[in-house]
Amino acid sequence: MIRFEHVSKRYPDGTTAVDDLSFEVAEGELITLVGPSGCGKTTTMKMVNRLIEPTAGRILLDGADIAGVDPVKLRRRIGYVIQQVGLFPHKTVLENTATVPHLLGWQRRRSRERAAELLHLVGLDPSVYGDRYPDQLSGGQRQRVGVARALAADPPVLLMDEPFGAVDPVVREHLQNEFLKLQEQVRKTVLFVTHDIEEAVRLGDRIAVYGQGRIEQFDAPAAVLGAPATPYVADFVGADRGLKRLSVTRIEPGDLEKPPIVHLDDTLGSAARRMAADDARWAVVLDHDDSLHGWLSADATESGAAGTVRDHARRMEAWLPVGSSLKHAFSTMLQYDAGWIAVLDGERFLGVLTPARLHEALRRSIDADVRAVDRADVDLDTVHSP
Ligand code: ADP
Ligand code: MG
């Protein structure tokens, strides 16, 4: 889809911003470009929509050298989102979003319908926000409008240059999650620039880690964290990469412990037998349609009390959907001061995650990466000039 072949950019003052860059991005892939300030990320990005021309090498879009494509036509196929969103202050949110369709000469009605559809897609109700002006929005909402506007003409490629850099960390995480959901629907080919390794890891299908003007490693996030290719990358991803890995490793059903299960209407006697059979000190309590109610301690059954599980069960608030990150699981454990948390698939109870299982899941992801890296097929040197 996008292919860099030995691309360099030397500015007239002699600065080499990008040095002999070769890589390929597949259709529908989200690549994050990460590295410290001044390493050439923005230069890389602007060469794709020809805001900057390379001084050597070439860039192909869908197999065609972009040097031969009219820049205006090229940019219609490439959405561009930057940090200072650049919304027109005197235009409403709806008008801002409809900018590109309008420029393309779509009929007013169609442009506005498309804009409304996109505002929905980025989580802004057009009937609430459509007629507002940019200064009547929060920073996070403005970024959403920026994303909606870039998507308006449905370009196959999206360039995003530190789009969430200016918002606070909480809003930022929201925007990242929303963007991931959005990307699942729209499947654009995305180049996403950030200087934040955490963001790169969370969003990227693959990450290009930049050193000075060069890519030091181009790999899946877990591989970058698990097996940094150079000391530079190891240093950049940081000593706390075990923690970062928590945020890219998902809970899988196989990670879960299966404690005994009892139901609200079971008698205490039968609950006690169930726990004794598993030599367990507690059981998970489900209600009649198998959704999570809470837990029952073996102590409650040993007091010889009569009655049903319902009378002695305790509510359990801490639960997570399957597929959540281990980081989310860990912080939920801390938040509820819980030794375990239930994992649900929709309403259905799957099992519980304990600190020991969390640790095992982490090990599993490290081992998987080390194997993946052994047979890595991502090799920058395989890109040849024809
Ligand atoms: P990043 O986006 O990673 O912070 P840039 O691509 O903006 O980095 O810049 C890469 C290098 O090129 C930096 O050293 C920067 O100072 C230099 N640079 C960027 N634009 C120009 C320019 N127009 N003229 C000269 N040097 C530039
Ligand atoms: Mg930059």
Side-chain angles (χ1 to χ4, degrees):
M1 179 77 194
I2 303 173
R3 184 178 164 107
F4 274 62
E5 288 180 354
H6 302 288
V7 173
S8 298
K9 174 65 187 179
R10 247 173 105 85
Y11 285 108
D13 67 0
T15 308
T16 301
V18 166
D19 185 16
D20 194 23
L21 216 56
S22 294
F23 64 88
E24 243 185 290
V25 181
E27 188 170 341
E29 214 181 2
L30 198 173
I31 301 295
T32 48
L33 312 181
V34 65
S37 180
C39 67
K41 306 181 296 293
T42 294
T43 301
T44 303
M45 182 141 296
K46 286 184 168 172
M47 288 191 292
V48 177
N49 61 7
R50 296 194 61 190
L51 289 171
I52 293 177
E53 299 292 345
T55 41
R58 54 179 208 159
I59 301 168
L60 309 178
L61 186 63
D62 274 339
D65 188 341
I66 62 168
V69 181
D70 171 50
V72 175
K73 289 202 178 117
L74 179 71
R75 283 171 210 152
R76 283 185 193 155
R77 292 156 61 198
I78 302 177
Y80 189 40
V81 188
I82 53 173
Q83 191 182 109
Q84 288 75 24
V85 194
L87 298 178
F88 302 113
H90 56 284
K91 287 190 174 181
T92 66
V93 164
L94 200 70
E95 288 163 351
N96 264 292
T97 310
T99 303
V100 179
H102 182 72
L103 284 176
L104 293 177
W106 294 18
Q107 284 189 346
R108 183 180 154 83
R109 191 193 151 95
R110 185 171 160 229
S111 302
R112 292 179 74 90
E113 278 171 6
R114 174 68 179 158
E117 179 190 329
L118 279 155
L119 289 172
H120 263 304
L121 200 63
V122 299
L124 293 175
D125 182 346
S127 68
V128 176
Y129 298 99
D131 294 329
R132 289 201 193 173
Y133 289 88
D135 66 359
Q136 297 170 311
L137 300 177
S138 71
Q141 289 165 341
R142 276 198 291 272
Q143 284 309 137
R144 289 186 179 95
V145 178
V147 172
R149 186 176 61 177
L151 288 170
D154 204 17
V157 176
L158 209 51
L159 305 179
M160 305 179 79
D161 196 345
E162 311 223 17
F164 310 143
V167 294
D168 69 68
V170 176
V171 175
R172 192 168 197 196
E173 196 167 331
H174 262 297
L175 290 172
Q176 290 167 348
N177 290 338
E178 283 173 10
F179 182 67
L180 279 178
K181 282 202 198 109
L182 182 69
Q183 168 66 356
E184 268 178 29
Q185 294 179 53
V186 298
R187 281 280 159 221
K188 300 296 177 191
T189 305
V190 185
L191 285 183
F192 187 110
V193 162
T194 176
H195 60 263
D196 175 8
I197 182 72
E198 193 94 42
E199 180 166 77
V201 158
R202 185 169 306 143
L203 297 182
D205 295 319
R206 287 190 291 154
I207 308 178
V209 184
Y210 273 65
Q212 214 52 51
R214 303 188 72 103
I215 293 178
E216 299 266 334
Q217 186 167 7
F218 196 160
D219 236 327
V224 169
L225 296 178
T230 63
Y232 170 89
V233 175
D235 196 40
F236 186 73
V237 302
D240 58 343
R241 61 179 195 265
L243 279 177
K244 294 188 182 101
R245 172 180 289 280
L246 284 175
S247 66
V248 292
T249 308
R250 312 262 144 219
I251 300 169
E252 292 173 10
D255 297 326
L256 305 178
E257 213 161 283
K258 310 281 174 162
I261 289 174
V262 299
H263 284 84
L264 274 178
D265 294 326
D266 293 349
T267 63
L268 274 189
S270 76
R273 284 192 295 280
R274 188 84 40 82
M275 282 187 262
D278 281 12
D279 203 14
R281 296 301 304 160
W282 56 278
V284 169
V285 179
L286 303 183
D287 64 19
H288 58 277
D289 55 10
D290 276 351
S291 54
L292 179 71
H293 176 88
W295 61 287
L296 179 71
S297 160
D299 296 340
T301 66
E302 279 160 5
S303 59
T308 63
V309 168
R310 184 185 300 277
D311 306 322
H312 296 272
R314 306 211 205 145
R315 295 295 293 196
M316 185 64 196
E317 310 290 341
W319 63 273
L320 290 168
V322 67
S324 300
S325 68
L326 297 185
K327 182 177 171 188
H328 190 175
F330 190 48
S331 75
T332 306
M333 261 179 208
L334 293 176
Q335 182 189 344
Y336 289 95
D337 195 17
W340 58 274
I341 36 181
V343 177
L344 309 184
D345 179 7
E347 297 279 300
R348 199 163 58 90
F349 172 80
L350 290 182
V352 304
L353 194 69
T354 60
R357 291 301 183 102
L358 195 142
H359 186 228
E360 279 170 30
L362 197 59
R363 299 305 311 220
R364 159 178 65 75
S365 100
I366 292 171
D367 292 347
D369 289 341
V370 171
R371 282 197 302 277
V373 170
D374 282 345
R375 50 178 159 64
D377 51 4
V378 184
D379 180 359
L380 297 181
D381 295 331
T382 57
V383 179
H384 302 293
S385 292

